[in-house]
Amino acid sequence: GMRTLMWSAVLITFPVFVLGLFLRETIGSSQTPGAGAEHFQNLGESCFTAWRCLVVGDCTTKDGHPIFVLVLREHGVPPVAIYVLSYTFVAYGLYNVIVAIYVENTVAAAKYNEVYQKRQRLSDQQILAEKSATLVRLVWDLWQQDSSSSKHHDMDCLPENPTVQQISDQAAIMQITPALFETLRHHPRFCEILRDLDVSDEDQLDLFE
C-alpha cells in the first residue's frame, strides 16, 4: 500500500541524492560549455539530472547528446564509473528489492484474506451443518452402493429419503473399508465438500488413518 510506496521512494531518493551531490562537488564547477557539467552546477539541478539518468532513463542534454559521454571526454573515467556503479545498483539491486517487497506484501495479503475467509466459512454454523449433512448423505449413498455392505445390513429399515438424523442413527453400523474410502476419495462431490470444509487435498489422504 502507501507505506510500501513511501519506503520505495525513500530507497530510490538516497542513491539519487548521493550521485547528485558527488557530481556537483566534482564536475559541477567546470565552466567548459558542452561538456555535460552544466547539468550539475547546483545541487538541485544535479539531483534532478541524477534522477533522470537513474530512474527515468533520460540521460541526454537538450540537444540529445548523452550526458555522460560528454563527461567522459572532458572529465575522464572516475565520474562516469561512479554513475555506472550507481545505475547498476539501482537497476539490478534496488529495483529487485522493491519488487520483492511488493510481491511479499501481495502474497501476505492474499494469505490473510484466505485465512479470513476460512474463518468466516467455519464460523457460519448453518453452512457447516448443511455441508456436513450433505457429506453424511453422500457417504451413506455410496456405502449402500458398495457390494460388500449389503451383506451386513438390511437397507429396508430406512425410508426412501432418510433424514440426517435417521442416517446418523444407522451410521454406527457403517464400516468404511479401504476400498470404499478410495471410492469416496475419487468422488468429485466428496472432494468438493471436503474443500468447502477447508480440508485440503493433502489432508484428505490422511482421513482414513
Side-chain angles (χ1 to χ4, degrees):
M2 292 302 299
R3 182 179 178 181
T4 303
L5 181 61
M6 180 188 70
W7 281 110
S8 300
V10 171
L11 290 175
I12 292 175
T13 300
F14 180 73
V16 168
F17 176 77
V18 171
L19 180 62
L21 180 62
F22 171 78
L23 294 174
R24 167 65 185 88
E25 294 299 323
T26 54
I27 65 175
S29 58
S30 175
Q31 301 298 322
T32 305
E38 62 271 17
H39 296 279
F40 307 101
Q41 292 181 351
N42 59 71
L43 184 59
E45 186 177 5
S46 181
C47 289
F48 177 68
T49 303
W51 177 78
R52 286 174 52 209
C53 293
L54 293 180
V55 179
V56 181
D58 178 23
C59 200
T60 59
T61 65
K62 63 180 180 180
D63 298 325
H65 300 295
I67 293 175
F68 282 94
V69 172
L70 301 177
V71 171
L72 177 64
R73 293 173 181 172
E74 180 66 24
H75 302 282
V77 173
V80 177
I82 296 298
Y83 163 71
V84 170
L85 291 176
S86 299
Y87 182 85
T88 303
F89 171 75
V90 171
Y92 298 100
L94 196 57
Y95 283 166
N96 286 334
V97 171
I98 293 173
V99 170
I101 291 174
Y102 273 101
V103 171
E104 182 179 0
N105 288 344
T106 302
V107 172
K111 287 184 178 179
Y112 173 80
N113 188 50
E114 181 180 354
V115 171
Y116 177 77
Q117 290 179 349
K118 177 179 178 180
R119 290 176 179 174
Q120 288 294 105
R121 289 195 302 269
L122 293 179
S123 64
D124 192 333
Q125 296 300 321
Q126 182 178 358
I127 294 180
L128 181 61
E130 291 176 356
K131 293 294 182 180
S132 299
T134 304
L135 182 63
V136 171
R137 287 180 179 274
L138 178 61
V139 173
W140 177 261
D141 291 340
L142 292 178
W143 183 70
Q144 284 184 314
Q145 297 173 12
D146 186 35
S147 58
S148 61
S149 64
S150 60
K151 299 178 182 179
H152 300 289
H153 188 66
D154 184 6
M155 301 304 168
D156 295 334
C157 61
L158 282 175
E160 181 178 356
N161 295 311
T163 64
V164 174
Q165 183 60 44
Q166 291 172 323
I167 293 177
S168 299
D169 293 339
Q170 296 295 328
I173 56 89
M174 186 169 56
Q175 181 179 4
I176 304 296
T177 63
L180 178 58
F181 177 75
E182 193 67 17
T183 301
L184 288 169
R185 199 172 65 82
H186 288 86
H187 195 283
R189 182 58 178 157
F190 179 79
C191 296
E192 179 184 350
I193 295 174
L194 289 182
R195 293 191 195 100
D196 291 340
L197 293 173
D198 292 297
V199 180
S200 64
D201 293 340
E202 294 78 9
D203 293 336
Q204 292 177 21
L205 299 175
D206 300 328
L207 289 179
F208 186 75
E209 299 178 359

